[in-house]
């Protein structure tokens, strides 16, 4: 019995050492420089996106969510364009409402839409302001959100699409 107890104690100590080492190393594993080789990035400026759609409110909607969520998600602080380490800029290229889920109507009647989908497409660039190089670019980032036609509003789908846009930018 003492040999089994000693082995269990050694295994427990080993697991605790590994866990402790992981906890010490893990906080430094994620940073914006992943994959870019760029060190020292601490600040970010977010410019208002150009808007090629007829939905003028999208400029403010996109800007608001970028300012609220992107810096914190990347571990950066907001700064003015002239002093920022990186700058985010882009364009809202399309905003569409589609009906992926509908029921055909009776003869002579239109289809009954059950669910609608907001599809937002943007082009995004993240620029290194030190040497004016593009760190990351997506010319066709497509985000979508859904809402039930009978009980929800388009704003629900738009909010989902905007959240998904942020996730895709953060995930690179």
């Amino acid at each position: 019995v003492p040999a089994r107890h000693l082995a269990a104690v050694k295994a427990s100590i080993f697991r605790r050492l590994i866990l402790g080492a992981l906890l010490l190393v893990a906080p430094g594993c994620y940073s914006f420089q992943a994959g870019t080789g760029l060190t020292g990035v601490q600040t970010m400026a977010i410019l208002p996106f150009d808007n090629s759609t007829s939905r003028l409110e999208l400029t403010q909607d996109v800007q608001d969510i970028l300012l609220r969520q992107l810096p914190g998600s990347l571990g950066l602080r907001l700064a003015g364009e002239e002093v920022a380490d990186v700058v985010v800029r882009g364009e809202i290229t399309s905003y569409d409402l589609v009906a992926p889920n509908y029921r055909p109507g009776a003869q002579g009647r239109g289809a009954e839409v059950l669910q609608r989908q907001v599809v937002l497409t943007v082009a995004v660039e993240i620029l290194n302001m030190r040497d004016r190089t593009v760190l990351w670019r997506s010319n066709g980032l497509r985000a979508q959100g859904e809402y039930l036609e009978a009980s929800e509003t388009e704003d629900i789908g738009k909010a989902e699409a905007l959240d998904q846009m942020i996730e895709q930018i953060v995930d690179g």
Side-chain angles (χ1 to χ4, degrees):
V1 178
R4 239 186 304 170
H5 179 68
L6 184 60
V9 169
K10 284 182 181 180
S12 175
I13 291 171
F14 180 72
R15 280 193 299 271
R16 288 180 186 186
L17 285 173
I18 294 296
L19 180 60
L22 286 173
L23 289 173
L24 287 174
V25 173
C29 289
Y30 181 76
S31 66
F32 184 68
Q33 71 246 20
T36 65
L38 185 65
T39 57
V41 172
Q42 297 176 355
T43 59
M44 155 186 284
I46 301 172
L47 305 181
F49 279 29
D50 294 332
N51 186 351
S52 299
T53 74
S54 61
R55 304 288 298 259
L56 299 179
E57 79 279 3
L58 287 176
T59 303
Q60 191 63 48
D61 293 341
V62 168
Q63 183 70 6
D64 287 348
I65 196 163
L66 287 170
L67 290 170
R68 261 193 340 268
Q69 294 186 14
L70 192 59
S73 295
L74 294 173
L76 301 175
R77 294 184 325 269
L78 279 174
E81 180 180 6
E82 60 284 345
V83 296
D85 297 322
V86 295
V87 169
V88 177
R89 66 181 183 191
E91 178 183 5
I92 305 161
T93 57
S94 70
Y95 181 90
D96 298 304
L97 291 175
V98 296
N101 192 358
Y102 61 92
R103 187 176 313 150
Q107 190 169 2
R109 293 183 50 204
E112 177 187 4
V113 175
L114 303 172
Q115 183 181 40
R116 291 215 184 256
Q117 189 175 67
V118 171
V119 181
L120 173 68
T121 307
V122 296
V124 183
E125 284 185 336
I126 300 178
L127 303 166
N128 174 359
M129 296 310 289
R130 292 184 203 150
D131 58 9
R132 305 281 186 208
T133 58
V134 176
L135 297 175
W136 183 79
R137 173 184 291 146
S138 176
N139 289 326
L141 189 146
R142 185 176 187 265
Q144 57 196 39
E146 297 170 351
Y147 64 98
L148 299 175
E149 178 77 4
S151 62
E152 297 175 327
T153 66
E154 180 182 336
D155 288 340
I156 300 288
K158 182 170 41 170
E160 282 184 20
L162 290 167
D163 285 340
Q164 192 179 85
M165 176 193 70
I166 294 292
E167 288 175 21
Q168 290 182 43
I169 293 170
V170 170
D171 291 346

